[in-house]
Structures are given as structure tokens and as C-alpha cells.
Amino acid sequence: MSDKPQSGTTRRGFLAASTALVASATAARAQTADPLITEIQPWAQGLGDGVDATPYGLPIKYESDVVRRNVSWLTADVISSINFTPIHALDGTITPQGCAFERHHSGAIELRKDDYRLMINGLVDQPLVFTYADLERFPRVTRTFFLECAANTGMEWAGAQLNGSQFTHGMIHNMEYTGVTLRTLLEEAGVKPTATWLYVEGADASSNGRSLPMEKALDDCMIAFKANGEALRMEHGYPVRLIVPGWEGNLWIKWLRRIEATDAPVESREETSKYTDTMADGTSRKWTWVMDAKSVITSPSPQMPITHGHGPVVITGLAWSGRGAITGVDVSVDGGKNWKPARLAAPGQEMALTRFYFDHNWQGEEMLLQSRTTDSTGYVQPTKTQLREVRGVNSVYHNNCIQTWWVKPNGEAENVEVS
Ligand code: MTE
Ligand code: CO
């Protein structure tokens, strides 16, 4: 906990002493003559919807702005494109599937369970083809992981660009997956000791074929057919996708159709050139699969201005690491000069989103809001300057630097950089 009101000062005292705007808001809260309390409202004068009105419920219309959004100038079309999770408006850690970002190379496809097949071939004792029903009969696991596209925050390398955490950090989602471990299926096919790599591909036109080291495949990868308790949505790979915990999203093959065991990466069939990281010295590095520790304040932020006046404000955000669990998050209100620890809503889970809260008493001063996370390896999220020293400004992928929101006296926030 941090930034408690100074001793001897009560919350009521704070509110009474603040501006007229807040004083009236406080007075309204204190009085009991509020018609919303004293008068019978329309919704209490009749009956509501019956239980058959919405067999599958959607969010109430008042929440209609909490949706995925794309940025039209980012890609040439909406088929090979990306949209963004409205992380600014969500809380907790689980991303509802209906607003979890999508990234397709050739569009989202409709594939029936009955038409679903998964083949394992290559360096195996017995090439196998699994139906969906076959997969359901293997011992099952349920685990929660984040998926972050390597391009998340990729537009921010050269300068503060997009105004909103949805757009700067929304190529991420976090779901509870149910399925079978990849190890279980590989053992079923009898992977040969010479197989050190897998080539994994999807059933869509792009196939999104990728090479995956066997070590990772046997460690913690999953074949998932449920997310957050229900079937995967079409856009996330229905009926089956690959889960590669902590590693960049492009390896998480959707509509997974084939796994080939090989003794070398199959680069000729990949788009690896698209996933290299340009360094400050002009060289490139590849196979930087793991997503380093990163955090962002989701509110207040440009899409979530402070609208309630002075006094207590809940500063909140998300932290994650592909290398382990989040052990701490610090928050700065002055652009990184001073840091105080935030509260973690729950202890950090390996390779899953962690929610943090920082309870602050805001009196209308300008803030340069930042969050900085540390993971279980001891790694500390770098500043933008530190990251640029190594990576320059010509990269797209793996930008995990500290984000700054400038909160103005009127409560509005803007994406900025501090030196
Ligand atoms: N799998 C297939 N078959 N086709 C694709 O286009 N896109 C990849 C990956 N898996 C892709 C795919 C990329 S780049 C990312 S970031 C994630 O899927 C996005 O997953 P999502 O759409 O569930 O958010
Ligand atoms: Co991606």
C-alpha cells in the first residue's frame, strides 16, 4: 500500500477541503434526498426480461464501447490485420474472448469440429491423425496464460504514437485454457530421439507455419480446445489451437492441423524474416521468442481520463513476464523520479497477467504516470531510453519499455515520453 492520506487526515476531510466541483459531488453523495434513492424508478415499475430472452448473453448496451478496435492505417486491409483488446476498460486478469484481440494472416476461418483433423508426422514411430473426439479422450489440463503478439507496442519505438493503452498495449489477452499437453500427443506418436524441432501449421490459407524447439514443446505447450471454460471462438482458432506459454503469439498456431517432428528448423517454409529484431548497431537478431517482463497502467490513461474530481483515485494496470511470475510492480507519479510499490491483486502466476492497484490521493496536480515491473528471474522492466540504447528505433518487435501517461490537471491523459 502506498500514498495513504497523511495521519490525522480523514477522507471526509480531504473531500470537504477540495474544489467546489468535488464539494458538490461529495454533498450529493452525502445527502439522502437523491431521487434515484427516494423515488420508484421505471425499472422497478414493471417486469424485466424473461430467462429465455438471451440464451447466450452479451454485455449490456451501456458497455458497448468496451470492444476490440483496429487502427485503419496500420495494415493495408482487415484480412491480414490486427485489432486490440480494450485493456483500458477491463479489470481483473481474464480477458473475455469476445473482446480479446485477433491477429490473422489470412482471415479467421470457420472450421467444424467434424471436419477437424490434427496430424503428427515426421520423425515419429507412428504418424497419427487425431479427430476432435480423439483429443477429448486424453488426460486433460487447465492453465491460464497470456498471449502477447511480438508486435505489441511496436508502433512506439520512434516516439509516443498512439493515444490509449488499448492501442499501445492491447495486442495481448489472458485466458484459462483447457486441453491436452503437447507432450501427451507427441508421446502417443512416439517422437524419435533425433527430433529436436517441430514444424507446426494451421488449417487457414496462410498456415502460419512456424518452427518450435522440441525442448519447449515437451516442457509446457498445450493443445487447447476450451478458453475461459467454453469453446474457443472462431477468431482464436476454433476448434483447436496451440498454446506456447510465455512465447510470442505467432507461435500459438490457430486451427492447428499438423505437427511435423524434424531434426532442424524448417525456415524455408516460415516467415521468420518478419520476426527479427533490428538492433541499435543495424544487425538483426532472430528467434527471440520469449516475451520479457512488461507492465502498463491501464487506468488512468488516454481513454480513461479521471472524471471524478480530486481525492482518491485507483491507479491500476497489468504486468506479465514470459520468463516466470511477476514478483512486484512499482508506480511513479513523477515520470520515474520516485517509485512506490503497488499492490498485486493476487500473487503473480507464471506466464499469466497480474493485476496491480495503486491507491493515490490526487489533488489535480500533473502526473507522469509510469509502472515498472520485476519478474521472478530478477529482471526489471527497462526505460525507453535503456531499451533504445540496445535496440535503436528501427525495431518493430519486443518493445517492453516503461510507458508514460501524462495526466493533466483536468484529468485527461496523453501518451508521452520522458527523457
Ligand atoms: N495461427 C494461424 N493459423 N494463422 C494466423 O494468422 N497468427 C498468429 C498466431 N497464430 C496466426 C496464427 C499471430 S501473429 C498471433 S499474435 C496470434 O495467433 C494471435 O492470436 P489471437 O488471434 O487469438 O489473438
Ligand atoms: Co502476432
Side-chain angles (χ1 to χ4, degrees):
M1 281 286 295
S2 57
D3 265 21
K4 291 209 184 86
Q6 287 155 6
S7 57
T9 318
T10 62
R11 177 176 160 161
R12 185 177 299 236
F14 261 122
L15 294 172
S18 55
T19 66
L21 174 78
V22 177
S24 65
T26 309
R29 257 179 270 146
Q31 61 150 291
T32 51
D34 185 343
L36 281 163
I37 285 292
T38 56
E39 285 168 24
I40 296 175
Q41 298 298 316
W43 48 85
Q45 293 173 21
L47 303 175
D49 284 349
V51 291
D52 56 354
T54 41
Y56 194 99
L58 289 173
I60 193 165
K61 60 186 175 189
Y62 310 122
E63 297 292 319
S64 61
D65 57 334
V66 184
V67 289
R68 300 186 273 235
R69 288 193 176 85
N70 63 330
V71 173
S72 57
W73 51 262
L74 214 55
T75 50
D77 62 60
V78 289
I79 303 297
S80 180
S81 192
I82 191 140
N83 58 25
F84 301 87
T85 308
I87 53 170
H88 64 289
L90 301 177
D91 212 312
T93 55
I94 294 293
T95 316
Q97 288 201 73
C99 66
F101 90 95
E102 309 161 63
R103 167 74 174 108
H104 317 302
H105 290 79
S106 52
I109 57 166
E110 255 177 36
L111 182 55
R112 296 188 323 157
K113 278 183 190 165
D114 285 351
D115 296 332
Y116 180 76
R117 297 290 183 275
L118 171 63
M119 182 180 202
I120 301 187
N121 68 334
L123 297 173
V124 292
D125 295 335
Q126 177 66 57
L128 293 173
V129 173
F130 303 86
T131 64
Y132 185 86
D134 293 337
L135 294 178
E136 284 186 306
R137 299 175 65 190
F138 287 94
R140 219 170 280 173
V141 292
T142 289
R143 294 189 65 187
T144 301
F145 298 112
F146 75 81
L147 179 165
E148 184 181 16
C149 179
N152 200 20
T153 322
M155 287 78 76
E156 303 293 313
W157 277 105
Q161 172 106 277
L162 295 168
N163 245 337
S165 61
Q166 176 169 22
F167 304 110
T168 55
H169 290 76
M171 291 184 201
I172 192 161
H173 51 62
N174 190 66
M175 304 192 198
E176 185 198 67
Y177 294 102
T178 299
V180 179
T181 68
L182 183 49
R183 174 185 275 272
T184 301
L185 298 186
L186 291 173
E187 284 174 354
E188 187 76 6
V191 180
K192 294 194 195 299
T194 50
T196 47
W197 288 81
L198 295 178
Y199 182 73
V200 286
E201 64 181 13
D204 52 330
S206 80
S207 92
N208 199 71
R210 293 288 184 275
S211 294
L212 180 69
M214 183 64 81
E215 204 184 340
K216 178 67 175 173
L218 293 175
D219 181 22
D220 57 8
C221 291
M222 276 173 74
I223 309 282
F225 38 79
K226 293 276 162 73
N228 302 340
E230 62 180 357
L232 287 166
R233 295 285 165 85
M234 173 177 94
E235 59 268 36
H236 300 123
Y238 179 92
V240 177
R241 92 174 301 168
L242 184 63
I243 306 299
V244 189
W247 287 28
E248 58 190 28
N250 71 78
L251 293 155
W252 296 49
I253 310 300
K254 301 191 275 193
W255 316 289
L256 181 68
R257 73 178 285 270
R258 198 170 69 89
I259 300 172
E260 183 182 335
T262 62
D263 57 7
V266 191
E267 289 185 78
S268 58
R269 284 187 253 155
E270 281 194 358
E271 300 170 77
T272 40
S273 59
K274 292 180 89 176
Y275 289 93
T276 54
D277 302 330
T278 310
M279 308 298 279
D281 63 6
T283 60
S284 290
R285 60 179 193 188
K286 68 173 183 176
W287 289 342
T288 47
W289 297 296
V290 187
M291 302 311 293
D292 281 315
K294 183 164 168 180
S295 70
V296 65
I297 290 172
T298 51
S299 179
S301 61
Q303 296 159 290
M304 295 292 280
I306 303 174
T307 54
H308 54 54
H310 301 171
V313 58
V314 174
I315 297 172
T316 185
L318 293 165
W320 60 95
S321 169
R323 298 189 191 274
I326 291 303
T327 51
V329 179
D330 297 320
V331 166
S332 173
V333 297
D334 56 12
K337 293 193 188 87
N338 297 286
W339 294 95
K340 286 180 181 169
R343 278 185 295 127
L344 303 188
Q349 280 175 268
E350 300 259 305
M351 298 167 286
L353 291 190
T354 298
R355 168 68 54 181
F356 65 87
Y357 297 108
F358 185 83
D359 305 297
H360 186 61
N361 176 31
W362 182 62
Q363 292 304 320
E365 69 280 5
E366 280 190 325
M367 295 190 283
L368 289 169
L369 278 185
Q370 298 185 334
S371 64
R372 176 184 70 187
T373 192
T374 306
D375 72 12
S376 47
T377 69
Y379 175 93
V380 181
Q381 184 182 5
T383 64
K384 205 162 190 178
T385 308
Q386 287 167 338
L387 195 62
R388 280 185 184 144
E389 277 164 17
V390 183
R391 301 283 306 282
V393 293
N394 294 320
S395 268
V396 174
Y397 302 110
H398 294 273
N399 182 346
N400 68 321
C401 73
I402 291 171
Q403 170 69 41
T404 312
W405 305 125
W406 170 35
V407 179
K408 304 171 197 179
N410 67 2
E412 285 173 6
E414 209 176 287
N415 182 5
V416 295
E417 288 186 3
V418 291
S419 50

